């Protein structure tokens, strides 16, 4: 096979968390280091793809040979992706916050003695993957991620339909501490299942780099079937 099987292919990747402001100094976010998403972007670039990475706030560096757009909120991420379409494939690795505050305060919310905490009114964020999965300019290949704690397979398969994705990369985070070297989130290792409409393929425990390399190879294989 060609050394750069993804040459000429444009691929969008999302990575990292989103930050949803409460006021100028506080935000709501999911735990996400960006390690898995950034590794996937880098692995696709190594196979020759024109990679458009849209990243929420992370502390790791931008991957080499990748065009990176930095955003903060889910709505900014959605707008960035809209402006990057069309693409051959899109891989949604970001841990997007499901909710944001209905209106972020323009000034820092003051802690006033005796008044108690503020009540935050939340509204739902756009589902970026579902938007692209059902888009008029839907990429040929759309891949989502799913962190599940129970009924991993059943939930991932339901997600395929709802989000209009071809594949869901599912990982069981039920035993995850959530932080540190032992956990998937923030850690360097991952154990995933590749779920499609017809079944699931279980991958062994791998480093996030190895998951990225395998996934990039899978993307190359799937796109090979289409015309350049
Ligand atoms: O529904 P759930 O959050 O489990 O779905 C996870 C998948 O959907 C991931 O691929 C994630 O990047 C994507 N997602 C998204 N926009 C959201 C929520 C999730 O793109 N608002």
């Amino acid at each position: 096979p060609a050394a750069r099987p993804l040459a000429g292919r444009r691929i969008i990747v999302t990575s990292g968390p989103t930050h949803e402001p409460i006021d100028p100094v506080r935000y709501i976010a999911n735990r996400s280091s960006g390690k898995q998403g950034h590794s996937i972007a880098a692995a696709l670039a190594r196979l020759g793809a024109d990679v458009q990475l849209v990243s929420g706030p992370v502390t790791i560096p931008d991957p080499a040979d990748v065009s990176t757009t930095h955003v903060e909120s889910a709505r900014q991420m959605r707008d960035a992706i809209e402006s990057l379409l069309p693409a051959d494939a899109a891989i949604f690795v970001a841990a997007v916050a499901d909710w944001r505050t209905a209106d972020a305060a323009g000034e820092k919310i003051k802690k006033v003695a005796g008044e108690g905490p503020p009540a935050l009114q939340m509204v739902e964020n756009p589902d970026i993957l579902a938007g692209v999965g059902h888009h008029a300019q839907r990429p040929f290949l759309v891949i989502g991620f799913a962190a599940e704690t129970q009924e991993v397979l059943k939930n991932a398969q339901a997600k395929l339909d709802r989000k209009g994705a071809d594949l869901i990369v599912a990982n069981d985070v039920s035993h995850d501490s959530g932080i540190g070297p032992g956990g998937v989130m923030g850690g360097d290792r991952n154990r995933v299942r590749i779920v499609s409409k017809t079944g699931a393929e279980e991958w062994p425990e791998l480093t996030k780099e190895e998951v990225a390399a395998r996934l990039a190879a899978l993307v190359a294989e799937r796109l090979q079937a289409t015309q350049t």
Side-chain angles (χ1 to χ4, degrees), residues 15-205:
S15 185
T18 63
H19 284 184
E20 310 299 331
I22 295 171
D23 66 20
V25 301
R26 305 183 179 96
Y27 61 82
I28 295 163
N30 284 3
R31 286 186 201 282
S32 172
S33 63
K35 280 180 189 170
Q36 186 65 82
H38 279 53
S39 304
I40 289 166
L44 292 164
R46 282 195 293 272
L47 297 188
D50 160 15
V51 182
Q52 301 290 326
L53 174 65
V54 180
S55 177
V58 295
T59 57
I60 59 175
D62 292 351
D65 304 317
V66 165
S67 165
T68 305
T69 305
H70 296 272
V71 298
E72 300 243 326
S73 69
R75 285 184 297 175
Q76 289 168 354
M77 187 172 275
R78 190 243 350 245
D79 292 348
I81 285 154
E82 286 274 338
S83 73
L84 290 168
L85 289 172
D88 297 290
I91 309 181
F92 296 84
V93 198
V96 180
D98 289 316
W99 309 282
R100 67 175 184 273
T101 57
D103 352 66
E107 305 290 340
K108 185 183 174 188
I109 301 168
K110 288 286 178 201
K111 186 167 69 173
V112 180
E115 271 196 8
L120 295 179
Q121 175 77 38
M122 308 291 281
V123 295
E124 214 167 299
N125 262 332
D127 189 314
I128 304 168
L129 165 52
V132 172
H134 297 107
H135 203 278
Q137 298 188 83
R138 183 190 189 276
F140 173 78
L141 183 62
V142 175
I143 301 179
F145 270 66
E148 302 285 356
T149 58
Q150 49 188 338
E151 300 204 82
V152 178
L153 205 60
K154 193 167 148 248
N155 286 333
Q157 260 163 348
K159 209 159 277 190
L160 278 174
D161 274 347
R162 201 167 67 244
K163 306 225 183 202
D166 300 294
L167 299 172
I168 292 282
V169 181
N171 54 312
D172 183 349
V173 293
S174 57
H175 304 296
D176 200 285
S177 63
I179 45 164
V184 169
M185 294 177 241
D188 290 320
R189 301 184 73 78
N190 208 352
R191 189 188 187 99
V192 302
R193 271 183 261 190
I194 309 297
V195 182
S196 69
K197 274 161 202 127
T198 53
E201 186 186 321
E202 194 152 349
W203 288 359
E205 189 184 312

